[in-house]
Amino acid sequence: MSNSHPAFELLTSTEIDSLGVRVEEYRHRATGAQHLHIAADNNENVFLVALRTVPGDSTGVAHILEHTALCGSEKYPLRDPFFLMIRRSLNTFMNAFTSSDWTAYPFASQNRKDFDNLLDVYLDAVFFARLDPLDFAQEGHRLEFAETDNPDSELVYKGVVYNEMKGAMSSTSSQLWHTLNKYLFPTTTYHYNSGGEPADIPRLTHAQLVDFYRSHYHPSNAIFMTFGDIEAATHQAAFEEKVLHKFDPLPETIAVGREDRYLAPVAVEERYPLRSDDGLEGKTHIVLSWLLGDATNVEEVLTAHLLSGVLLDNSASPLMKLMETSSLGTAPSPLIGLDDSQRELIFLCGLEGSERQHADEFEQQVLAVLRDVADNGVPYEQVAATLHQLELQQREIGGDGYPFGLQLILSALTGATHRGDATGLLNLDPALEKLREQIKDPQFIATKARQLLLDNQHRVRLTLTPDDQLAGRRDAAEKEQLADIRSRLSDSEKQRIIATAHTLEERQQSEVDASILPKVGIADIPLHMPRVEGETVPLGAQKLTRYSAGTNGLVYQQMICPLPELTEAERQLLPYYCQVISEVGLGDKDYLQVQQWQTQVAGSLHGFSSSRTAVDDLHSLSGHFILSAKALSRNQSALTELMHETMERTRFDEITRIKEFFTQTLARREEGVVGNGHGLAMAAASSGYNRAAYESHATGGLLGLRHLKQLVRGFTRDSAELENLAQNLQAIHNKVLGTERHFLLIGEEEKLAGYSGAMTPLANEIHGPAPSAQAPFDPHPVSELWIVNSQVNFCAKAYPTVPMGHPDAPALAVLGGLLRNGFLHRTIREQGGAYGGGASHDSNIGVFRFYSYRDPRMGESLRDFDDSLDWLQNHPHTQEQVEEAILGVVGGLDKPSSPAGEAKRAFHSELYGRSHAVREKFRQQVTEVRLQDLQRVGQTYLVPQQASTAVVTGAQGREAGLSLGLRQENL
């Protein structure tokens, strides 16, 4: 039974057996604040407080407020208590989000003391923020002179959010999304970019920020959400004591209304900046979008998801088939499917790699497909397979990315935000059962296609065309605007800008006494890591390792093959072989039939490769090919058959399909560069030290992306190269088939024996390790400047170190935290204005890396990396700073995953010699690190002669990078 604090009234309580939770909805009697509690037998407790935030412009007020609210509060009037608490905590998650209509502050922890500490800081930050003008200047935007003390130098804009959004809006996907919303929602808050448009952000004033805070950050407009084994009444007592009793009800109700509907479809064309060495041909995006029903109505949401899945789930789905095979573009748009994150649902489909003159023809092709579905329906088996995918998604216990409890909370948040059925968005079983009955009607999907799409006049077609002059015009407009501002400044105003810059710098340089903040310490760390035990049994002539786990009716299976000896060309193709194996035909089935088979049987089936160095030798590299799949338990035998056919009867003769796969893969990887610029820069900087680091760069990094572009360009010019590519993929497959197999099985304990027997057909008769020779590698320094389509920089510096088993590896892991907490956060983010920066040690490749993310600077950030090493050796430090860095490392090591994820992690760690004993020894050594250890490893390994550098930047950063002596690399 649920129980509540007297200040709250219980509204509903619902058991959701498929998730193993009970959802309780409460209302605070005095203020009307909502509390949704998800009771679960799970010690990873999660808290989130969300505020409905409804901006009326694109100045980024909600986003900048999210940042500024975390910069000090009444009880904790420090600079940046949020980042200070990250260091003083064993949290498994800490962050803050700004969405289009809400702002949320979540955290998670397995430690009760830590949870209470974080709750105290979060509640005070959200409801009693100081909003210091200097924090607004640092986090939002400010004016400074290019030469701080020279009023005759140019004015520049600075600010963390300003630079963050410059980076975010470098992404074509972001530009597509915000442009579409501008036209889909002409009258509601979604018309605006809640994150902030870089051109609009400088218009926001501190007074406007404070006004927005006062009107929106109030308990009457708040949604408290909790998950875990702490009772609702306990949470409510804290909410009441720390916050709620201090507030009266808010007289206004903040809400997003329904959008006014168009009476006829709209077609618009806009441009996006693209500086491309390959020209502008084939760089246009065409996207169709429809505004559908209410995102808080679970039946409308599931019906829309079902229709979207039927149309787009896989390559055999009608709309996806059109987009993948269309001669009007190169790949489906990055914006396809159903968006349910806002007040009303959006359905999207589109093409990239097109031309503006194809827009009419593509739209007619889409409408023709929809008319065919509306007139002729879709086979029942196809609809049932899509519904099967929805059921599987409902049952699966996640937690491998965000904590499972946070995933559930975010699933319910849209309903809570718009005062709809939040519990219903979690308890999908009744709606799924209703859909099972409805799809028996052959006209069900046909009717929905006509009703929701064909007859829906609120349709927007966006054609987004590239413009290689637009970025230059925007830069010139900004400079002209700043020059105009500067020309109108009085002498006293100029001096005020200089004084503010100095005051902010002095504040950033000042030492913060964090002693008033709560903390956990080394003594609060559990003595041992959680241990997941499996058992290894024979499977035919080979071995099966199986784990029992609470998988809620799902089964997970993997086939693991040691990588055979591959040529250099085959190594470059390996990641694509792993992906394409589940994208082509099998035996007498073509790829379309196989895609439908996969949807009917599996929740997912995909290949991937992994490689790691030995625990004690960076030059001993081993790797594996893994075929991984999951399904509902009732489909386990069918899943095994599908895996068997995927390995034994894969076809590499579908040349057109292989071409489509590589072309679409290239589009996705190019789109992902700006979002992972820091990771790509670190991979490039590390690539000269050993084979493992090089292969990471040469396959998943920018070097691999360049190779992929060359590959696609080659077979586009010459079809013989495509035939050769297919033969090379077949050659890799033949080698993999000739290796020994090991199997991984994860499921509920009482079903493991039956599952094991069903997997016997997967075994072969091959014994012994694959003959995998170590390819020679010549270490070399790296000094590279990669030019991509970005408005900001991503800087990295790397040093060669040692593997995990070396006695110095624990200290190097802790050193990253110390440098980030004590120096880099201040210099790179607070003073430099980058969205992020830090340092870390990768013991798998034996490299220590520095990085900056969405950074307006380049040479200065690289110097900050160097200066942090001087700070390490010559600045006084305390053991408390070391302890904070230790907590960060241990928190990462102990971060829980899903039940299946924990088993996978245990198995693959053992596979590469990282046994539980090895990992626990490393963890223990981390807790014993002392300051002198950090200074010693810094002096030993982070020496200038060993450093390598890589910067990822846009065309605007070319001159600065070359002046630093970096060698230009183009994609």
Side-chain angles (χ1 to χ4, degrees):
M1 279 294 294
S2 60
N3 65 88
S4 59
H5 186 274
F8 285 79
E9 59 178 327
L10 175 66
L11 303 178
T12 66
S13 179
T14 307
E15 298 282 348
I16 305 180
D17 294 336
S18 61
L19 296 174
V21 301
R22 183 178 66 253
V23 181
E24 302 162 1
E25 293 190 68
Y26 298 90
R27 179 184 178 278
H28 186 246
R29 299 178 191 275
T31 65
Q34 295 168 253
H35 177 209
L36 186 140
H37 178 62
I38 305 173
D41 184 18
N42 190 322
N43 73 340
E44 188 181 22
N45 284 279
V46 181
F47 167 84
L48 176 147
V49 61
L51 297 310
R52 298 172 184 87
T53 44
V54 185
D57 56 39
S58 294
T59 59
V61 58
H63 186 189
I64 293 171
L65 180 54
E66 171 223 312
H67 281 242
T68 314
L70 296 172
C71 291
S73 63
E74 286 183 7
K75 187 174 181 180
Y76 301 110
L78 308 174
R79 191 181 85 242
D80 233 351
F82 174 79
F83 283 100
L84 292 170
M85 282 303 297
I86 290 177
R87 312 166 191 176
R88 303 164 71 83
S89 165
L90 287 166
N91 72 85
T92 55
F93 187 89
M94 271 184 76
N95 212 331
F97 310 134
T98 301
S99 185
S100 54
D101 51 21
W102 50 256
T103 303
Y105 298 85
F107 70 81
S109 181
Q110 298 179 100
N111 182 289
R112 180 60 186 273
K113 175 182 175 182
D114 189 37
F115 183 93
D116 291 342
N117 290 347
L118 291 170
L119 182 63
D120 194 46
V121 173
Y122 264 63
L123 290 176
D124 209 62
V126 170
F127 293 103
F128 307 106
R130 287 195 306 167
L131 304 184
D132 190 298
L134 287 175
D135 292 321
F136 172 72
Q138 172 184 286
E139 298 297 314
H141 69 87
R142 64 187 183 276
L143 287 170
E144 284 192 14
F145 290 105
E147 300 169 30
T148 306
D149 292 320
N150 181 5
D152 294 325
S153 63
E154 292 182 344
L155 278 178
V156 294
Y157 287 125
K158 292 189 176 182
V160 172
V161 169
Y162 178 76
N163 290 311
E164 176 191 351
M165 293 312 297
K166 271 202 163 184
M169 296 310 293
S170 297
S171 159
T172 307
S173 290
S174 293
Q175 294 174 67
L176 276 169
W177 174 249
H178 289 294
T179 306
L180 270 172
N181 273 274
K182 181 170 69 174
Y183 292 103
L184 273 173
F185 298 97
T187 68
T188 65
T189 188
Y190 309 123
H191 183 77
Y192 307 104
N193 181 349
S194 66
E197 288 287 344
D200 294 330
I201 287 173
R203 293 194 291 106
L204 181 68
T205 67
H206 179 258
Q208 291 169 330
L209 181 92
V210 172
D211 287 344
F212 193 87
Y213 175 76
R214 288 173 177 162
S215 62
H216 287 74
Y217 278 50
H218 186 284
S220 298
N221 189 43
I223 307 152
F224 296 88
M225 307 179 85
T226 49
F227 168 92
D229 59 9
I230 300 174
E231 290 189 346
T234 304
H235 291 305
Q236 291 163 1
F239 303 160
E240 177 69 10
E241 176 192 349
K242 299 176 186 298
V243 176
L244 298 179
H245 79 277
K246 301 178 182 180
F247 285 87
D248 295 320
L250 192 68
E252 301 86 11
T253 298
I254 294 173
V256 181
R258 294 180 183 276
E259 183 54 70
D260 297 337
R261 289 308 198 258
Y262 290 137
L263 300 179
V266 174
V268 295
E269 182 174 332
E270 292 213 8
R271 296 184 177 189
Y272 74 100
L274 180 67
R275 289 166 168 154
S276 175
D277 296 329
D278 301 328
L280 302 182
E281 290 185 6
K283 298 295 196 317
T284 291
H285 295 253
I286 306 168
V287 180
L288 298 178
S289 57
W290 287 260
L291 197 58
L292 307 184
D294 191 338
T296 68
N297 183 309
V298 64
E299 291 186 7
E300 288 189 28
V301 171
L302 270 187
T303 299
H305 273 293
L306 180 65
L307 177 61
S308 176
V310 167
L311 295 173
L312 294 168
D313 246 7
N314 57 64
S315 298
S317 303
L319 269 184
M320 183 62 78
K321 182 181 177 182
L322 168 69
M323 291 184 294
E324 288 189 343
T325 60
S326 175
S327 61
L328 303 180
T330 58
S333 169
L335 291 191
I336 58 171
L338 186 76
D339 178 80
D340 59 4
S341 66
Q342 302 184 149
R343 177 71 173 83
E344 295 170 282
L345 302 167
I346 303 172
F347 178 77
L348 311 104
C349 66
L351 282 178
E352 65 177 300
S354 188
E355 300 291 350
R356 60 188 297 271
Q357 62 267 25
H358 296 326
D360 286 337
E361 185 178 355
F362 174 65
E363 183 171 18
Q364 291 309 310
Q365 289 181 353
V366 169
L367 295 176
V369 169
L370 295 177
R371 276 193 293 270
D372 181 65
V373 171
D375 292 343
N376 302 310
V378 175
Y380 172 80
E381 295 75 18
Q382 196 169 331
V383 182
T386 301
L387 188 60
H388 157 252
Q389 294 297 314
L390 293 178
E391 179 188 357
L392 195 145
Q393 293 165 21
Q394 163 72 353
R395 296 193 67 85
E396 185 168 24
I397 298 175
D400 296 331
Y402 286 172
F404 177 52
L406 182 56
Q407 292 178 22
L408 295 182
I409 283 172
L410 293 174
S411 296
L413 183 52
T414 296
T417 299
H418 302 291
R419 300 174 176 89
D421 187 3
T423 299
L425 293 176
L426 294 174
N427 189 23
L428 300 183
D429 286 338
L432 286 170
E433 192 57 45
K434 184 174 180 179
L435 274 180
R436 283 191 197 97
E437 293 301 314
Q438 289 174 318
I439 66 171
K440 293 176 182 177
D441 175 1
Q443 293 302 307
F444 180 72
I445 286 295
T447 301
K448 292 301 177 184
R450 187 173 300 280
Q451 172 191 334
L452 295 179
L453 299 176
L454 271 179
D455 294 344
N456 182 352
Q457 298 302 303
H458 199 101
R459 181 174 84 236
V460 173
R461 186 189 80 200
L462 170 64
T463 305
L464 196 65
T465 60
D467 184 337
D468 58 0
Q469 302 299 312
L470 182 56
R473 292 196 298 271
R474 286 178 176 172
D475 290 344
E478 180 180 295
K479 287 184 178 180
E480 184 179 339
Q481 179 188 52
L482 287 165
D484 180 62
I485 293 171
R486 181 177 167 277
S487 69
R488 291 185 282 107
L489 290 174
S490 65
D491 289 343
S492 61
E493 288 172 327
K494 292 177 181 178
Q495 291 305 313
R496 193 178 307 129
I497 289 173
I498 293 172
T500 299
H502 282 294
T503 302
L504 182 58
E505 183 180 11
E506 289 169 9
R507 188 169 185 260
Q508 292 164 338
Q509 294 280 14
S510 64
E511 294 291 334
V512 177
D513 179 9
S515 61
I516 65 171
L517 285 168
K519 60 174 288 188
V520 294
I522 301 295
D524 296 299
I525 296 175
L527 289 177
H528 300 287
M529 299 172 66
R531 183 164 192 160
V532 180
E533 297 279 6
E535 64 168 342
T536 300
V537 297
L539 186 73
Q542 289 160 338
K543 293 178 180 177
L544 166 69
T545 300
R546 59 194 187 192
Y547 293 81
S548 65
T551 58
N552 200 26
L554 270 70
V555 60
Y556 300 80
Q557 299 181 171
Q558 290 186 350
M559 176 190 299
I560 301 97
C561 307
L563 285 179
E565 185 173 350
L566 300 172
T567 66
E568 193 64 37
E570 288 171 340
R571 284 179 179 274
Q572 288 186 320
L573 284 178
L574 179 63
Y576 310 115
Y577 158 75
C578 293
Q579 296 171 53
V580 84
I581 195 172
S582 60
E583 298 289 336
V584 293
L586 304 174
D588 59 357
K589 291 183 172 68
D590 64 21
Y591 79 92
L592 295 172
Q593 294 170 304
V594 170
Q595 291 274 297
Q596 193 58 34
W597 186 15
Q598 291 172 355
T599 304
Q600 291 169 345
V601 168
S604 68
L605 183 141
H606 64 282
F608 64 95
S609 64
S610 69
S611 63
R612 291 194 192 181
T613 57
V615 173
D616 56 357
D617 184 359
L618 293 172
H619 301 287
S620 176
L621 180 66
S622 61
H624 294 82
F625 164 77
I626 299 102
L627 183 66
S628 183
K630 66 184 177 187
L632 294 171
S633 59
R634 64 173 183 261
N635 292 331
Q636 193 259 341
S637 294
L639 179 70
T640 300
E641 180 189 3
L642 177 59
M643 293 178 70
H644 179 269
E645 294 294 287
T646 301
M647 287 302 295
E648 304 300 335
R649 305 189 70 195
T650 299
R651 294 169 48 180
F652 294 99
D653 62 345
E654 293 179 304
I655 300 300
T656 302
R657 174 60 172 170
I658 291 173
K659 179 181 179 180
E660 291 167 0
F661 166 79
F662 275 87
T663 304
Q664 292 163 22
T665 300
L666 174 59
R668 292 289 82 77
R669 287 195 58 180
E670 286 184 315
E671 177 61 31
V673 167
V674 175
N676 188 38
H678 63 309
L680 296 170
M682 286 191 286
S686 305
S687 63
Y689 294 129
N690 54 58
R691 166 62 63 175
Y694 172 77
E695 290 196 354
S696 175
H697 180 49
T699 55
L702 291 169
L703 187 60
L705 177 54
R706 183 162 69 190
H707 171 255
L708 178 59
K709 286 186 73 171
Q710 293 167 348
L711 195 67
V712 171
R713 193 179 295 124
F715 68 58
T716 301
R717 288 195 304 258
D718 184 355
S719 60
E721 291 196 24
L722 188 59
E723 295 279 355
N724 185 55
L725 172 61
Q727 292 171 10
N728 289 336
L729 293 171
Q730 181 69 64
I732 297 171
H733 187 59
N734 292 341
K735 289 182 178 182
V736 171
L737 287 175
T739 62
E740 185 178 28
R741 297 175 182 177
H742 195 146
F743 301 92
L744 170 64
L745 170 65
I746 305 163
E748 285 147 338
E749 185 170 8
E750 65 275 12
K751 298 177 180 177
L752 283 180
Y755 291 157
S756 302
M759 291 180 69
T760 302
L762 294 174
N764 61 21
E765 298 297 322
I766 297 171
H767 296 277
S772 181
Q774 294 293 318
F777 185 81
D778 181 24
H780 57 277
V782 168
S783 183
E784 295 178 352
L785 180 74
W786 287 85
I787 306 298
V788 303
N789 193 40
S790 173
Q791 299 180 65
V792 289
N793 307 315
F794 305 87
C795 306
K797 198 165 227 182
Y799 299 83
T801 58
V802 295
M804 179 183 182
H806 192 282
D808 287 340
L812 286 162
V814 176
L815 179 58
L818 181 78
L819 295 177
R820 179 183 63 249
N821 296 345
F823 190 87
L824 296 171
H825 175 76
R826 171 169 50 82
T827 58
I828 300 292
R829 188 181 191 279
E830 292 184 346
Q831 295 176 273
Y835 186 46
S840 65
H841 183 240
D842 186 339
S843 62
N844 182 51
I845 59 173
V847 177
F848 191 93
R849 298 97 53 93
F850 292 88
Y851 70 91
S852 69
Y853 180 65
R854 294 182 180 171
D855 192 347
R857 306 182 307 158
M858 186 184 299
E860 301 93 330
S861 292
L862 295 174
R863 283 194 292 276
D864 284 339
F865 298 158
D866 296 338
D867 290 345
S868 73
L869 301 179
D870 179 71
W871 172 86
L872 170 67
Q873 301 297 339
N874 300 312
H875 190 275
H877 308 287
T878 66
Q879 187 59 31
E880 182 178 2
Q881 290 175 287
V882 179
E883 185 176 288
E884 290 175 352
I886 290 171
L887 289 175
V889 175
V890 173
L893 293 172
D894 289 358
K895 184 176 181 179
S897 185
S898 68
E902 294 280 5
K904 290 177 188 177
R905 181 163 60 185
F907 173 84
H908 287 279
S909 295
E910 295 273 354
L911 187 66
Y912 289 103
R914 276 80 168 168
S915 66
H916 185 271
V918 168
R919 288 180 287 133
E920 189 147 81
K921 178 183 177 183
F922 177 83
R923 179 179 180 270
Q924 179 61 35
Q925 290 173 328
V926 164
T927 65
E928 296 168 353
V929 167
R930 296 293 177 265
L931 175 59
Q932 56 267 35
D933 299 322
L934 302 182
Q935 293 174 321
R936 176 179 54 78
V937 297
Q939 201 164 41
T940 302
Y941 300 104
L942 309 188
V943 294
Q945 304 92 308
Q946 296 288 324
S948 285
T949 301
V951 173
V952 176
T953 186
Q956 78 288 344
R958 179 186 285 115
E959 184 178 336
L962 294 176
S963 71
L964 294 171
L966 303 177
R967 185 182 72 251
Q968 181 172 331
E969 300 282 350
N970 295 319
L971 286 176

